């Protein structure tokens, strides 16, 4: 889970030459990103250091600069990497859904389980609003776009009201995403609630609302 070939261009390296070209390089990059997640998650951006990250990763300081030019570049890459991890976690959960809204229930449950296992994602994403605001906005815009796209497909199949316009679906996608974020905060980060029960409760509301 995490870095994929198609994601490398987004990881924050200023030039293609900084992207890993070998499996060993990809493993090293993964170690740096995982160490950065722990460092930023525990200490916050301001109090974290490149030395602390490389020590956690077990790599030389010079190795860090093979992949990133600065702490800011690494933080930007980490936010994108964590966003990709959420995507990769939620995507397979959609398989086997009985309909589109069942897929959204499964996606929410998968996200809650991910948040329970990666509570630091909230601190890192929230801090990115001030450290890397463009990446912060990108994270939410791409997430909402994926939800809106799924809702449009559901509308076209008649699984939700056909009267919903594209603008309606955009609004609803942002609303669903916002609900998911705060459900994760309350029931995954602050508590360790049963993800299936939380998702089922939210799904019942969606089914009533999307009936039109």
């Amino acid at each position: 889970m995490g870095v994929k070939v198609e994601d490398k261009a987004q990881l924050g390296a200023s030039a293609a030459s900084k992207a890993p070209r070998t499996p060993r390089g990809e493993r090293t990059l993964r170690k740096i990103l995982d160490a950065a997640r722990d460092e930023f998650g525990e200490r916050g951006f301001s109090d974290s250091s490149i030395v602390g990250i490389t020590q956690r990763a077990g790599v030389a300081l010079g190795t860090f600069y093979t992949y990133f030019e600065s702490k800011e570049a690494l933080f930007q890459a980490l936010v994108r990497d964590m966003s990709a991890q959420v995507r990769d976690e939620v995507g397979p959960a959609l398989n086997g859904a009985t309909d589109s809204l069942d897929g959204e229930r499964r996606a929410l449950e998968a996200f809650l389980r991910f948040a329970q296992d990666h509570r630091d994602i909230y601190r890192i994403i929230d801090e990115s609003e001030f450290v890397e605001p463009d990446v912060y906005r990108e994270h939410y815009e791409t997430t909402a776009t994926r939800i809106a796209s799924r809702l449009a497909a559901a509308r076209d199949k008649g699984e939700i009201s056909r009267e919903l316009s594209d603008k309606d679906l955009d609004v609803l996608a942002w609303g669903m995403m916002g609900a998911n974020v705060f459900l994760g905060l309350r029931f995954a980060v602050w508590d360790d609630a049963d993800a299936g029960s939380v998702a089922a409760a939210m799904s019942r509301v969606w089914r009533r609302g999307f009936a039109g």
Side-chain angles (χ1 to χ4, degrees):
M1 185 185 301
V3 181
K4 292 184 175 182
V5 172
E6 61 267 28
D7 296 328
K8 289 175 186 174
Q10 297 183 351
L11 285 180
S14 62
S17 61
K18 286 187 175 289
R21 299 182 179 183
T22 65
R24 180 180 179 182
E26 291 183 353
R27 290 193 297 270
T28 300
L29 175 59
R30 180 76 267 156
K31 287 197 295 184
I32 294 172
L33 287 167
D34 289 345
R37 182 195 64 216
D38 293 340
E39 179 84 358
F40 291 134
E42 290 177 16
R43 300 173 60 84
F45 178 82
S46 296
D47 291 335
S48 295
S49 68
I50 294 174
V51 171
I53 292 166
T54 55
Q55 288 178 343
R56 286 177 186 262
V59 301
L61 185 60
T63 301
F64 174 91
Y65 290 103
T66 300
Y67 299 94
F68 302 103
E69 293 184 341
S70 64
K71 186 173 72 169
E72 288 78 7
L74 172 58
F75 190 83
Q76 181 183 91
L78 178 63
V79 173
R80 286 176 168 146
D81 180 66
M82 296 194 79
S83 184
Q85 288 190 45
V86 173
R87 177 201 65 202
D88 293 347
E89 187 75 16
V90 167
L94 300 171
N95 298 330
T98 57
D99 59 24
S100 297
L101 291 181
D102 183 52
E104 294 305 319
R105 177 191 63 78
R106 291 167 178 254
L108 173 56
E109 182 175 348
F111 170 71
L112 293 172
R113 295 188 189 283
F114 179 86
Q116 287 172 339
D117 293 335
H118 303 84
R119 288 176 166 87
D120 46 13
I121 189 174
Y122 273 81
R123 178 172 186 172
I124 292 168
I125 296 295
D126 287 350
E127 196 167 19
S128 72
E129 179 181 6
F130 307 100
V131 178
E132 293 288 344
D134 289 343
V135 179
Y136 173 82
R137 179 170 177 169
E138 175 188 297
H139 166 70
Y140 285 114
E141 286 182 336
T142 55
T143 301
T145 296
R146 285 196 295 269
I147 296 173
S149 178
R150 296 198 298 265
L151 293 178
R155 178 193 59 193
D156 294 344
K157 290 186 289 186
E159 293 179 350
I160 63 176
S161 174
R162 293 185 184 275
E163 296 180 2
L164 293 167
S165 67
D166 288 346
K167 181 61 177 178
D168 292 334
L169 296 183
D170 186 40
V171 171
L172 292 169
W174 280 88
M176 290 174 70
M177 179 180 64
N180 293 352
V181 167
F182 278 95
L183 288 170
L185 181 64
R186 169 64 178 82
F187 295 106
V189 177
W190 293 350
D191 195 2
D192 197 20
D194 179 71
S197 297
V198 175
M202 193 71 248
S203 181
R204 288 192 289 272
V205 175
W206 290 338
R207 287 199 175 275
R208 296 189 188 101
F210 280 109

